[in-house]
């Protein structure tokens, strides 16, 4: 069983989306005791989940009586910044629910295995996730340009004015971060941190690249094809006319 690398570490990026601060974390064990009927009736009125509030402030956690036993597979962490409690079971984050990423709709089929594997391993290893997302980019750019080397593919797109400066920077960011993940991880903060949480940045950039290089051109081409053929022919003649 793979254990999340954040388990029992003193500091990591808070998993709550409205916090996402790298902060000190306090850890707590889980204890259990058998409840009698009166306890069940009373606790039904007390134990109410409201958003992320479990009803039991951290300040009220006290040393357990002898009648309690440790539930070793369950741990709690409390973020010093937002004070919210995260729940960990069997070495994995279970609440708040780990972020799930869906591939861009038009991501080519040959890119999907790397994308899915990157998303699966990133929470456990930011380096592995980044390296696999770089491989995803490599296959994507090969599909678009026919070039095997990502740097050569980006150079071709820039030279042919097939991407603007922003998309070029997105491509190079994913490319460089993926390369550094294999060779010089300490140069990239998100890799040195190794919580995997900043992986969403790479996912977003891949989404922007797919939208720019595949989705938008496809949509525009579909709309353009509805013009009368005579008009499209005139436009082709205009654009192919020798200026001399």
């Amino acid at each position: 069983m793979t254990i999340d690398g954040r388990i029992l570490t003193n500091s990591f990026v808070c998993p709550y989306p409205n916090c996402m601060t790298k902060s000190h974390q306090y850890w707590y064990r889980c204890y259990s005791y058998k409840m009698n009927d009166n306890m069940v009736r009373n606790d039904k009125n007390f134990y109410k989940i409201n958003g992320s509030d479990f009803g039991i402030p951290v300040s009220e956690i006290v040393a357990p009586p002898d009648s309690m036993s440790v539930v070793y597979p369950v741990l709690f962490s409390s973020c010093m910044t937002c004070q919210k409690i995260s729940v960990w079971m069997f070495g994995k984050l279970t609440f708040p629910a780990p972020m799930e990423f869906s591939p861009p709709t038009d991501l080519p089929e040959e890119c999907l295995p790397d994308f899915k594997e990157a998303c699966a391993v990133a929470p456990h290893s930011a380096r592995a996730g980044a390296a696999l997302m770089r491989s995803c980019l490599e296959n994507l750019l090969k599909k678009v340009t026919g070039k095997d080397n990502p740097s050569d593919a980006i150079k071709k797109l820039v030279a042919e004015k097939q991407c603007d400066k922003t998309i070029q920077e997105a491509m190079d960011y994913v490319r460089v971060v993926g390369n550094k993940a294999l060779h010089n991880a300490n140069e990239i903060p998100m890799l040195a941190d190794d919580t995997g949480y900043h992986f969403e940045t790479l996912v977003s950039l891949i989404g922007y690249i797919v939208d720019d290089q595949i989705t938008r051109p496809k949509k525009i081409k579909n709309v353009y094809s509805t013009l009368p053929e005579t008009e499209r022919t005139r436009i082709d003649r205009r654009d192919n006319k020798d200026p001399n």
Side-chain angles (χ1 to χ4, degrees), residues 149-229:
N149 184 284
S151 186
D152 291 341
I154 296 170
K155 181 179 179 180
K156 178 179 179 180
L157 291 172
V158 171
E160 296 179 356
K161 298 182 179 180
Q162 296 299 311
C163 72
D164 62 22
K165 180 67 173 176
T166 302
I167 296 300
Q168 171 260 306
E169 290 177 348
M171 293 175 179
D172 278 319
Y173 183 87
V174 177
R175 178 183 65 83
V176 172
V177 168
N179 286 340
K180 294 294 184 182
L182 295 175
H183 305 293
N184 299 293
N186 289 334
E187 294 182 18
I188 307 293
M190 66 164 285
L191 299 174
D193 184 26
D194 202 31
T195 64
Y197 206 85
H198 296 296
F199 176 76
E200 63 180 299
T201 299
L202 298 180
V203 174
S204 296
L205 293 180
I206 288 291
Y208 299 151
I209 296 166
V210 171
D211 183 67
D212 182 82
Q213 293 296 307
I214 298 178
T215 303
R216 283 192 292 164
K218 182 173 69 173
K219 288 180 178 178
I220 294 171
K221 185 175 182 179
N222 289 339
V223 172
Y224 182 77
S225 66
T226 64
L227 287 175
E229 185 176 355

Coordinates of all heavy atoms in Angstrom, one line a residue, residues 149-229:
N149 N 11.0 16.2 -30.6 CA 11.6 16.9 -29.5 C 10.7 18.1 -29.2 O 10.4 18.9 -30.0 CB 13.0 17.4 -29.9 CG 13.7 18.1 -28.7 OD1 13.3 19.3 -28.4 ND2 14.6 17.5 -28.1
P150 N 10.2 18.2 -27.9 CA 9.3 19.3 -27.5 C 9.9 20.7 -27.8 O 9.1 21.5 -28.2 CB 9.1 19.0 -26.0 CG 9.4 17.6 -25.8 CD 10.5 17.3 -26.8
S151 N 11.1 20.9 -27.5 CA 11.7 22.2 -27.8 C 11.7 22.5 -29.3 O 11.4 23.7 -29.6 CB 13.2 22.2 -27.3 OG 13.7 23.5 -27.4
D152 N 12.0 21.6 -30.1 CA 11.9 21.8 -31.6 C 10.5 22.1 -32.0 O 10.3 22.9 -32.9 CB 12.5 20.6 -32.3 CG 14.0 20.4 -32.1 OD1 14.7 21.4 -31.7 OD2 14.5 19.3 -32.4
A153 N 9.6 21.4 -31.4 CA 8.1 21.6 -31.7 C 7.7 23.0 -31.4 O 7.0 23.7 -32.2 CB 7.3 20.5 -31.0
I154 N 8.1 23.5 -30.2 CA 7.7 24.8 -29.8 C 8.4 25.8 -30.7 O 7.7 26.8 -31.1 CB 8.1 25.0 -28.3 CG1 7.4 24.1 -27.4 CG2 7.9 26.5 -27.9 CD1 7.9 24.0 -26.0
K155 N 9.6 25.6 -31.0 CA 10.3 26.5 -31.9 C 9.6 26.6 -33.3 O 9.5 27.7 -33.8 CB 11.8 26.0 -32.2 CG 12.6 26.9 -33.1 CD 14.0 26.4 -33.2 CE 14.8 27.2 -34.2 NZ 16.2 26.7 -34.3
K156 N 9.1 25.5 -33.8 CA 8.4 25.5 -35.1 C 7.1 26.3 -35.0 O 6.8 27.1 -35.9 CB 8.1 24.1 -35.5 CG 7.3 24.0 -36.8 CD 7.1 22.5 -37.2 CE 6.3 22.5 -38.5 NZ 6.0 21.1 -38.9
L157 N 6.4 26.1 -33.9 CA 5.1 26.8 -33.7 C 5.3 28.3 -33.6 O 4.5 29.1 -34.2 CB 4.4 26.3 -32.4 CG 3.8 24.9 -32.5 CD1 3.3 24.4 -31.1 CD2 2.7 24.8 -33.5
V158 N 6.4 28.7 -32.9 CA 6.7 30.1 -32.8 C 7.1 30.7 -34.1 O 6.6 31.8 -34.5 CB 7.8 30.4 -31.8 CG1 8.3 31.8 -31.8 CG2 7.3 30.0 -30.4
A159 N 8.0 30.0 -34.9 CA 8.4 30.5 -36.2 C 7.3 30.6 -37.2 O 7.3 31.5 -38.0 CB 9.5 29.5 -36.7
E160 N 6.4 29.7 -37.1 CA 5.2 29.7 -38.1 C 4.1 30.5 -37.5 O 3.0 30.5 -38.1 CB 4.8 28.3 -38.4 CG 5.9 27.5 -39.1 CD 5.4 26.0 -39.3 OE1 4.3 25.6 -38.9 OE2 6.2 25.3 -40.0
K161 N 4.3 31.2 -36.4 CA 3.2 32.0 -35.8 C 1.9 31.3 -35.5 O 0.8 31.8 -35.7 CB 3.0 33.3 -36.6 CG 4.2 34.2 -36.8 CD 3.9 35.4 -37.6 CE 5.1 36.3 -37.7 NZ 4.9 37.5 -38.5
Q162 N 2.1 30.0 -35.0 CA 1.0 29.2 -34.7 C 0.7 29.2 -33.2 O -0.2 28.5 -32.8 CB 1.3 27.7 -35.1 CG 1.5 27.5 -36.6 CD 0.2 27.9 -37.4 OE1 -0.9 27.5 -37.0 NE2 0.3 28.7 -38.4
C163 N 1.4 30.0 -32.5 CA 1.1 30.2 -31.0 C 1.6 31.5 -30.6 O 2.6 32.0 -31.1 CB 1.6 29.1 -30.2 SG 3.4 29.1 -30.0
D164 N 0.9 32.2 -29.7 CA 1.4 33.4 -29.2 C 2.3 33.2 -28.0 O 2.6 32.1 -27.6 CB 0.2 34.3 -28.7 CG -0.6 33.7 -27.6 OD1 -0.1 32.9 -26.9 OD2 -1.8 34.1 -27.5
K165 N 2.9 34.3 -27.5 CA 3.9 34.3 -26.5 C 3.4 33.6 -25.2 O 4.1 32.8 -24.6 CB 4.3 35.7 -26.1 CG 5.4 35.8 -25.0 CD 6.7 35.3 -25.5 CE 7.8 35.5 -24.5 NZ 9.1 34.9 -24.9
T166 N 2.1 33.8 -24.8 CA 1.6 33.2 -23.6 C 1.6 31.7 -23.7 O 2.0 31.0 -22.8 CB 0.2 33.7 -23.4 OG1 0.2 35.1 -23.3 CG2 -0.4 33.1 -22.1
I167 N 1.1 31.1 -24.8 CA 1.1 29.7 -25.0 C 2.5 29.1 -25.1 O 2.7 28.0 -24.6 CB 0.2 29.3 -26.2 CG1 -1.2 29.8 -26.0 CG2 0.3 27.8 -26.5 CD1 -1.9 29.1 -24.8
Q168 N 3.4 29.8 -25.7 CA 4.8 29.4 -25.8 C 5.3 29.2 -24.4 O 6.0 28.3 -24.0 CB 5.6 30.4 -26.6 CG 7.1 30.1 -26.5 CD 7.8 31.1 -25.6 OE1 7.7 32.3 -25.7 NE2 8.5 30.5 -24.6
E169 N 5.0 30.2 -23.5 CA 5.5 30.2 -22.1 C 4.9 29.0 -21.4 O 5.6 28.3 -20.6 CB 5.2 31.5 -21.4 CG 6.1 32.6 -22.0 CD 5.7 34.0 -21.3 OE1 4.7 34.1 -20.7 OE2 6.5 34.9 -21.5
A170 N 3.6 28.7 -21.6 CA 2.9 27.6 -21.0 C 3.6 26.3 -21.4 O 3.9 25.4 -20.6 CB 1.5 27.6 -21.3
M171 N 3.9 26.1 -22.7 CA 4.5 24.9 -23.2 C 5.9 24.7 -22.6 O 6.3 23.6 -22.1 CB 4.7 25.0 -24.7 CG 3.3 24.9 -25.5 SD 3.6 25.2 -27.2 CE 1.9 25.1 -27.9
D172 N 6.7 25.8 -22.5 CA 8.0 25.7 -22.0 C 8.0 25.5 -20.5 O 9.0 24.8 -20.0 CB 8.8 27.0 -22.4 CG 9.4 26.9 -23.8 OD1 9.9 25.8 -24.2 OD2 9.4 27.9 -24.5
Y173 N 7.0 26.0 -19.8 CA 7.0 25.8 -18.4 C 6.8 24.3 -18.1 O 7.5 23.7 -17.3 CB 5.8 26.6 -17.8 CG 5.7 26.4 -16.3 CD1 6.5 27.2 -15.4 CD2 4.9 25.4 -15.7 CE1 6.4 27.1 -14.0 CE2 4.9 25.2 -14.3 CZ 5.6 26.1 -13.5 OH 5.6 25.9 -12.1
V174 N 5.8 23.7 -18.8 CA 5.6 22.2 -18.6 C 6.8 21.4 -19.0 O 7.2 20.5 -18.3 CB 4.3 21.8 -19.4 CG1 4.1 20.3 -19.2 CG2 3.1 22.5 -18.9
R175 N 7.4 21.8 -20.1 CA 8.6 21.1 -20.6 C 9.8 21.2 -19.6 O 10.4 20.2 -19.2 CB 9.1 21.7 -21.9 CG 10.3 21.1 -22.5 CD 10.7 21.8 -23.8 NE 11.1 23.2 -23.6 CZ 12.3 23.6 -23.2 NH1 13.3 22.6 -23.0 NH2 12.6 24.8 -23.0
V176 N 10.1 22.4 -19.1 CA 11.2 22.6 -18.2 C 11.0 22.0 -16.9 O 11.9 21.3 -16.3 CB 11.5 24.1 -18.1 CG1 12.6 24.3 -17.0 CG2 12.0 24.7 -19.4
V177 N 9.8 22.1 -16.3 CA 9.5 21.5 -15.0 C 9.6 20.0 -15.1 O 10.1 19.4 -14.2 CB 8.1 22.0 -14.5 CG1 7.6 21.1 -13.3 CG2 8.1 23.4 -14.1
G178 N 9.1 19.4 -16.2 CA 9.2 18.0 -16.4 C 10.6 17.5 -16.5 O 11.0 16.5 -15.9
N179 N 11.5 18.3 -17.2 CA 12.9 17.9 -17.3 C 13.6 18.1 -15.9 O 14.4 17.2 -15.5 CB 13.6 18.9 -18.3 CG 13.2 18.5 -19.7 OD1 12.8 17.4 -20.0 ND2 13.4 19.5 -20.6
K180 N 13.3 19.1 -15.2 CA 13.9 19.3 -13.9 C 13.5 18.2 -12.9 O 14.3 17.9 -12.0 CB 13.6 20.7 -13.3 CG 14.1 21.9 -14.1 CD 15.6 21.9 -14.1 CE 16.2 23.2 -14.8 NZ 17.7 23.2 -14.8
A181 N 12.3 17.7 -13.1 CA 11.8 16.7 -12.2 C 12.7 15.5 -12.2 O 12.9 14.7 -11.2 CB 10.4 16.3 -12.6
L182 N 13.3 15.2 -13.4 CA 14.2 14.1 -13.6 C 15.6 14.3 -13.2 O 16.4 13.4 -12.8 CB 14.2 13.6 -15.0 CG 12.8 13.1 -15.5 CD1 12.9 12.8 -17.0 CD2 12.4 11.8 -14.8
H183 N 16.1 15.6 -13.2 CA 17.5 15.9 -13.1 C 17.8 16.8 -12.0 O 18.8 16.6 -11.3 CB 18.0 16.4 -14.4 CG 17.8 15.5 -15.6 ND1 18.4 14.3 -15.7 CD2 17.0 15.7 -16.7 CE1 18.0 13.7 -16.9 NE2 17.1 14.5 -17.5
N184 N 17.1 17.9 -11.8 CA 17.5 19.0 -10.8 C 16.2 19.5 -10.1 O 15.8 20.6 -10.2 CB 18.2 20.1 -11.5 CG 19.5 19.7 -12.2 OD1 20.4 19.3 -11.5 ND2 19.5 19.8 -13.5
A185 N 15.5 18.6 -9.4 CA 14.2 18.9 -8.8 C 14.3 20.1 -7.9 O 13.3 20.8 -7.7 CB 13.7 17.7 -8.1
N186 N 15.4 20.2 -7.2 CA 15.5 21.3 -6.1 C 15.4 22.7 -6.7 O 15.2 23.7 -6.0 CB 16.8 21.1 -5.3 CG 16.7 19.9 -4.4 OD1 15.6 19.5 -4.0 ND2 17.9 19.4 -4.1
E187 N 15.6 22.8 -8.0 CA 15.5 24.1 -8.7 C 14.1 24.6 -8.8 O 13.9 25.8 -9.1 CB 16.2 24.1 -10.0 CG 17.7 23.8 -10.0 CD 18.4 23.9 -11.3 OE1 17.8 24.4 -12.3 OE2 19.5 23.4 -11.5
I188 N 13.1 23.7 -8.7 CA 11.7 24.1 -8.9 C 11.0 23.9 -7.6 O 10.9 22.8 -7.0 CB 11.0 23.2 -10.0 CG1 11.8 23.2 -11.3 CG2 9.6 23.6 -10.2 CD1 11.8 24.5 -12.0
P189 N 10.5 25.0 -7.0 CA 9.8 24.9 -5.7 C 8.7 23.9 -5.6 O 8.7 23.2 -4.6 CB 9.3 26.3 -5.5 CG 10.1 27.2 -6.3 CD 10.5 26.4 -7.5
M190 N 7.9 23.7 -6.6 CA 6.8 22.8 -6.5 C 7.3 21.3 -6.4 O 6.6 20.5 -5.9 CB 5.8 22.9 -7.7 CG 6.4 22.6 -9.0 SD 5.1 22.3 -10.3 CE 4.5 20.7 -9.8
L191 N 8.5 21.1 -7.0 CA 9.1 19.8 -6.9 C 9.8 19.5 -5.6 O 9.8 18.4 -5.1 CB 10.0 19.6 -8.1 CG 9.4 19.7 -9.5 CD1 10.5 19.6 -10.6 CD2 8.4 18.6 -9.7
A192 N 10.5 20.6 -5.2 CA 11.3 20.4 -3.9 C 10.3 20.2 -2.7 O 10.5 19.5 -1.8 CB 12.1 21.7 -3.7
D193 N 9.1 20.9 -2.8 CA 8.1 20.7 -1.8 C 7.6 19.3 -1.8 O 7.3 18.7 -0.7 CB 7.0 21.7 -2.1 CG 5.9 21.7 -1.0 OD1 6.2 21.4 0.1 OD2 4.7 22.1 -1.3
D194 N 7.3 18.7 -3.0 CA 7.0 17.3 -3.2 C 5.7 16.9 -2.5 O 5.5 15.8 -2.1 CB 8.1 16.4 -2.7 CG 7.9 15.0 -3.4 OD1 7.5 15.0 -4.6 OD2 8.3 14.0 -2.8
T195 N 4.7 17.9 -2.3 CA 3.4 17.5 -1.8 C 2.5 17.1 -3.0 O 1.5 16.4 -2.8 CB 2.7 18.6 -1.1 OG1 2.5 19.7 -2.0 CG2 3.6 19.1 0.1
G196 N 2.8 17.5 -4.2 CA 2.0 17.1 -5.3 C 0.8 18.1 -5.6 O 0.1 18.0 -6.6
Y197 N 0.6 19.0 -4.6 CA -0.6 19.8 -4.7 C -0.5 20.8 -5.8 O -1.5 21.2 -6.5 CB -0.9 20.5 -3.4 CG -2.3 20.8 -3.2 CD1 -3.2 19.9 -2.7 CD2 -2.8 22.1 -3.6 CE1 -4.6 20.2 -2.6 CE2 -4.2 22.4 -3.4 CZ -5.0 21.4 -2.9 OH -6.4 21.7 -2.8
H198 N 0.7 21.4 -6.1 CA 0.8 22.4 -7.2 C 0.8 21.7 -8.5 O 0.9 22.4 -9.6 CB 2.1 23.1 -7.0 CG 2.2 24.0 -5.7 ND1 1.3 25.0 -5.5 CD2 2.9 23.8 -4.6 CE1 1.6 25.5 -4.3 NE2 2.5 24.8 -3.8
F199 N 0.6 20.5 -8.6 CA 0.4 19.7 -9.9 C -0.7 20.3 -10.7 O -0.7 20.2 -11.9 CB 0.2 18.3 -9.5 CG -0.1 17.4 -10.7 CD1 1.0 17.0 -11.6 CD2 -1.3 16.9 -11.0 CE1 0.7 16.2 -12.7 CE2 -1.6 16.1 -12.1 CZ -0.5 15.8 -13.0
E200 N -1.7 20.9 -10.0 CA -2.9 21.4 -10.7 C -2.5 22.5 -11.7 O -3.1 22.8 -12.7 CB -3.9 22.0 -9.7 CG -3.4 23.1 -8.9 CD -4.5 23.6 -7.9 OE1 -5.6 24.0 -8.4 OE2 -4.3 23.5 -6.7
T201 N -1.3 23.2 -11.4 CA -0.8 24.2 -12.3 C -0.5 23.6 -13.7 O -0.8 24.1 -14.7 CB 0.4 24.9 -11.7 OG1 0.1 25.5 -10.5 CG2 1.0 25.9 -12.7
L202 N 0.2 22.4 -13.6 CA 0.6 21.8 -14.9 C -0.7 21.3 -15.6 O -0.8 21.4 -16.9 CB 1.5 20.6 -14.6 CG 2.8 20.9 -13.9 CD1 3.6 19.6 -13.7 CD2 3.6 21.8 -14.8
V203 N -1.7 20.8 -14.9 CA -2.9 20.4 -15.5 C -3.6 21.5 -16.2 O -4.1 21.4 -17.4 CB -3.9 19.7 -14.5 CG1 -5.2 19.4 -15.1 CG2 -3.3 18.5 -13.9
S204 N -3.6 22.7 -15.6 CA -4.3 23.9 -16.2 C -3.6 24.3 -17.4 O -4.2 24.6 -18.4 CB -4.3 25.0 -15.2 OG -5.1 24.7 -14.0
L205 N -2.2 24.3 -17.4 CA -1.5 24.7 -18.6 C -1.7 23.7 -19.7 O -1.8 24.2 -20.9 CB 0.0 24.8 -18.2 CG 0.4 25.9 -17.2 CD1 1.9 25.9 -16.9 CD2 0.0 27.3 -17.7
I206 N -1.7 22.4 -19.5 CA -2.0 21.5 -20.5 C -3.4 21.8 -21.1 O -3.6 21.7 -22.4 CB -2.0 20.0 -20.0 CG1 -0.5 19.6 -19.7 CG2 -2.6 19.1 -21.0 CD1 0.4 19.5 -21.0
G207 N -4.3 22.1 -20.3 CA -5.7 22.5 -20.8 C -5.6 23.7 -21.7 O -6.3 23.7 -22.7
Y208 N -4.8 24.7 -21.3 CA -4.7 25.9 -22.1 C -4.1 25.6 -23.5 O -4.5 26.1 -24.5 CB -3.9 27.0 -21.5 CG -4.4 27.5 -20.1 CD1 -3.5 27.9 -19.1 CD2 -5.8 27.5 -19.8 CE1 -4.0 28.4 -17.9 CE2 -6.2 27.9 -18.6 CZ -5.3 28.4 -17.7 OH -5.8 28.8 -16.4
I209 N -3.1 24.7 -23.5 CA -2.4 24.4 -24.7 C -3.3 23.6 -25.6 O -3.3 23.9 -26.9 CB -1.1 23.6 -24.4 CG1 -0.1 24.4 -23.6 CG2 -0.5 23.0 -25.6 CD1 1.0 23.6 -22.9
V210 N -4.0 22.7 -25.1 CA -5.0 21.9 -25.9 C -6.0 22.8 -26.5 O -6.4 22.7 -27.7 CB -5.6 20.7 -25.1 CG1 -6.7 20.1 -25.9 CG2 -4.6 19.7 -24.7
D211 N -6.5 23.7 -25.7 CA -7.6 24.6 -26.2 C -7.0 25.5 -27.3 O -7.7 25.7 -28.3 CB -8.0 25.5 -25.0 CG -9.2 26.5 -25.5 OD1 -10.3 26.0 -25.8 OD2 -8.9 27.7 -25.5
D212 N -5.8 26.0 -27.2 CA -5.2 26.9 -28.2 C -4.8 26.1 -29.5 O -5.1 26.7 -30.6 CB -3.9 27.5 -27.6 CG -3.3 28.5 -28.6 OD1 -3.8 29.6 -28.6 OD2 -2.3 28.1 -29.3
Q213 N -4.3 24.9 -29.3 CA -3.8 24.2 -30.5 C -4.8 23.3 -31.2 O -4.6 23.0 -32.4 CB -2.5 23.4 -30.1 CG -1.3 24.3 -29.7 CD -0.8 25.1 -30.9 OE1 -0.5 24.6 -32.0 NE2 -0.7 26.5 -30.7
I214 N -5.8 22.9 -30.5 CA -6.7 21.9 -31.0 C -8.2 22.3 -31.0 O -8.9 22.4 -32.0 CB -6.6 20.5 -30.3 CG1 -5.1 20.0 -30.5 CG2 -7.6 19.5 -30.8 CD1 -4.9 18.6 -29.8
T215 N -8.6 22.7 -29.8 CA -10.1 22.9 -29.6 C -10.5 24.2 -30.4 O -11.5 24.1 -31.2 CB -10.4 23.1 -28.1 OG1 -10.0 21.9 -27.4 CG2 -11.9 23.3 -27.9
R216 N -9.9 25.3 -30.2 CA -10.3 26.5 -30.8 C -10.2 26.5 -32.4 O -11.1 26.8 -33.1 CB -9.6 27.8 -30.3 CG -10.1 28.2 -28.9 CD -9.6 29.5 -28.5 NE -8.2 29.5 -28.2 CZ -7.4 30.5 -28.2 NH1 -7.9 31.8 -28.4 NH2 -6.1 30.4 -27.9
P217 N -9.0 26.0 -32.9 CA -8.9 25.8 -34.3 C -10.0 24.9 -34.9 O -10.6 25.2 -36.0 CB -7.5 25.2 -34.5 CG -6.8 25.7 -33.4 CD -7.7 25.7 -32.2
K218 N -10.3 23.9 -34.2 CA -11.4 22.9 -34.7 C -12.7 23.6 -34.7 O -13.5 23.5 -35.7 CB -11.4 21.7 -33.8 CG -12.5 20.7 -34.3 CD -12.4 19.4 -33.5 CE -12.9 19.6 -32.1 NZ -12.9 18.3 -31.3
K219 N -13.1 24.4 -33.7 CA -14.3 25.1 -33.6 C -14.5 26.1 -34.7 O -15.5 26.2 -35.4 CB -14.5 25.7 -32.3 CG -14.8 24.8 -31.1 CD -15.0 25.5 -29.8 CE -15.3 24.6 -28.7 NZ -15.4 25.3 -27.4
I220 N -13.4 26.9 -34.9 CA -13.4 27.9 -36.0 C -13.5 27.3 -37.4 O -14.2 27.8 -38.2 CB -12.1 28.8 -35.9 CG1 -12.2 29.6 -34.5 CG2 -12.0 29.7 -37.0 CD1 -10.9 30.3 -34.2
K221 N -12.8 26.2 -37.6 CA -12.8 25.5 -38.9 C -14.2 25.0 -39.2 O -14.7 25.1 -40.3 CB -11.8 24.3 -38.9 CG -11.7 23.7 -40.3 CD -10.7 22.6 -40.3 CE -10.5 21.9 -41.6 NZ -9.5 20.9 -41.7
N222 N -14.9 24.5 -38.1 CA -16.3 24.0 -38.3 C -17.2 25.1 -38.7 O -18.1 24.9 -39.5 CB -16.8 23.3 -37.0 CG -16.1 21.9 -36.8 OD1 -15.5 21.3 -37.7 ND2 -16.1 21.5 -35.6
V223 N -17.0 26.3 -38.1 CA -17.9 27.4 -38.4 C -17.6 27.9 -39.8 O -18.5 28.2 -40.6 CB -17.7 28.5 -37.3 CG1 -18.4 29.8 -37.7 CG2 -18.2 28.1 -36.0
Y224 N -16.3 28.0 -40.1 CA -15.8 28.6 -41.4 C -16.3 27.7 -42.5 O -16.7 28.2 -43.6 CB -14.3 28.7 -41.4 CG -13.7 29.2 -42.7 CD1 -13.8 30.6 -42.9 CD2 -13.1 28.4 -43.6 CE1 -13.2 31.1 -44.1 CE2 -12.6 28.9 -44.8 CZ -12.7 30.3 -45.0 OH -12.1 30.8 -46.1
S225 N -16.4 26.4 -42.3 CA -16.8 25.5 -43.4 C -18.3 25.7 -43.7 O -18.7 25.2 -44.8 CB -16.6 24.1 -42.9 OG -17.5 23.7 -41.8
T226 N -19.1 26.5 -42.9 CA -20.5 26.7 -43.3 C -20.6 27.9 -44.3 O -21.7 28.1 -44.8 CB -21.3 27.0 -42.0 OG1 -20.8 28.3 -41.4 CG2 -21.2 25.9 -41.0
L227 N -19.5 28.6 -44.5 CA -19.6 29.7 -45.6 C -19.8 29.0 -46.9 O -19.3 27.9 -47.2 CB -18.3 30.5 -45.6 CG -18.0 31.4 -44.4 CD1 -16.7 32.0 -44.6 CD2 -19.1 32.5 -44.4
P228 N -20.4 29.7 -47.8 CA -20.6 29.2 -49.2 C -19.3 28.9 -49.8 O -18.3 29.6 -49.6 CB -21.3 30.3 -49.9 CG -22.0 31.1 -48.9 CD -21.1 31.0 -47.7
E229 N -19.2 27.8 -50.6 CA -17.9 27.4 -51.2 C -17.4 28.5 -52.1 O -16.1 28.7 -52.2 CB -18.1 26.1 -52.0 CG -16.8 25.6 -52.6 CD -17.0 24.2 -53.3 OE1 -18.2 23.7 -53.3 OE2 -16.1 23.7 -53.9

